[in-house]
Amino acid sequence: MTELSLNILDIVENSIRANATLIEIQISIDTLQDQLTIVIKDNGNGMSEAMLQQVEDPFYTTRTTRTVGLGIPFFKQAALMTGGSFHITSQKDNGTLVNATFRLSHIDRMPIGNMTSTIYTLLTLHTEINFVYTYSFNKALFTLDTRQIRLLIGDVPINSPEVLNFLSEYLNDNISSVNEGIDL
């Protein structure tokens, strides 16, 4: 994968396969600490201790469509090769939390990529799931919480073209505003 947003999409798809109904995605950028932190938390089925021990192995997967599971190992490797860290915790029936930090200025850090497209894709394809996306750049931040959006739009489907267009503009405008014009 060439962008972190694609790693995030892959890990969130794991959460969806684990029957998560609430998935929180946090991206935090701190230029003073030279750090990018990505946290993905879900309330899905979680993993047993044995599964958790294997999940970072690229030759382990629960999928039947292929024999390798590259999402978690690639994400971990991407963080570690920048001098960052990677942690995953999970409990059976209590969800999973993935936390990766990256040294922001490291030459090997992949670009974040198009998070608007990632969130848009998730909202379009998984209308039954609630997502909370928080993006912060230094002290500025914004949050998109589909539970709040559902209260505002009532019976209008969250994947209706009008709502998706609004959310896409909301994400683009807020990311641009929070980033102070810096492309990450």
Side-chain angles (χ1 to χ4, degrees), residues 55-66:
V55 77
E56 296 175 26
D57 179 350
F59 299 105
Y60 173 78
T61 184
T62 58
R63 291 185 182 179
T64 57
T65 55
R66 62 182 191 211

Side-chain angles (χ1 to χ4, degrees), residues 71-182:
I72 295 288
F74 275 169
F75 195 50
K76 178 181 179 180
Q77 183 62 33
L80 296 181
M81 71 185 192
T82 69
S85 64
F86 177 86
H87 301 284
I88 183 168
T89 58
S90 186
Q91 276 190 318
K92 198 78 179 145
D93 301 323
N94 284 319
T96 300
L97 184 136
V98 175
N99 184 327
T101 62
F102 304 78
R103 204 169 99 213
L104 191 59
S105 64
H106 197 283
I107 192 167
D108 290 327
R109 182 187 58 82
M110 291 190 289
I112 293 174
N114 191 338
M115 278 306 297
T116 298
S117 178
T118 295
I119 300 298
Y120 186 94
T121 299
L122 292 170
L123 295 176
T124 302
L125 299 177
H126 305 288
T127 58
E128 72 287 357
I129 297 173
N130 282 310
F131 295 96
V132 179
Y133 175 57
T134 304
Y135 184 91
S136 68
F137 183 91
N138 294 330
K139 301 288 184 207
L141 72 91
F142 77 93
T143 298
L144 183 147
D145 186 336
T146 58
R147 294 171 298 184
Q148 294 174 348
I149 293 166
R150 288 178 207 281
L151 289 175
L152 293 172
I153 62 175
D155 293 336
V156 178
I158 201 159
N159 64 347
S160 70
E162 298 83 15
V163 173
L164 287 173
N165 285 339
F166 169 79
L167 293 175
S168 181
E169 287 180 28
Y170 175 83
L171 288 166
N172 282 329
D173 290 349
N174 278 287
I175 289 172
S176 178
S177 174
V178 167
N179 273 356
E180 302 167 358
I182 298 171

Side-chain angles (χ1 to χ4, degrees), residues 16-86:
I16 293 166
R17 280 191 294 281
N19 299 316
T21 58
L22 175 63
I23 301 171
E24 299 173 53
I25 304 165
Q26 300 171 18
I27 295 179
S28 302
I29 298 160
D30 187 328
T31 57
L32 294 176
Q33 298 292 321
D34 192 29
Q35 186 170 309
L36 162 66
T37 303
I38 298 173
V39 176
I40 302 165
K41 179 181 176 187
D42 71 54
N43 68 348
N45 296 336
M47 292 180 264
S48 67
E49 189 63 35
M51 182 184 279
L52 187 59
Q53 297 286 328
Q54 296 176 306
V55 77
E56 296 175 26
D57 179 350
F59 299 105
Y60 173 78
T61 184
T62 58
R63 291 185 182 179
T64 57
T65 55
R66 62 182 191 211
T67 58
V68 294
L70 300 174
I72 295 288
F74 275 169
F75 195 50
K76 178 181 179 180
Q77 183 62 33
L80 296 181
M81 71 185 192
T82 69
S85 64
F86 177 86

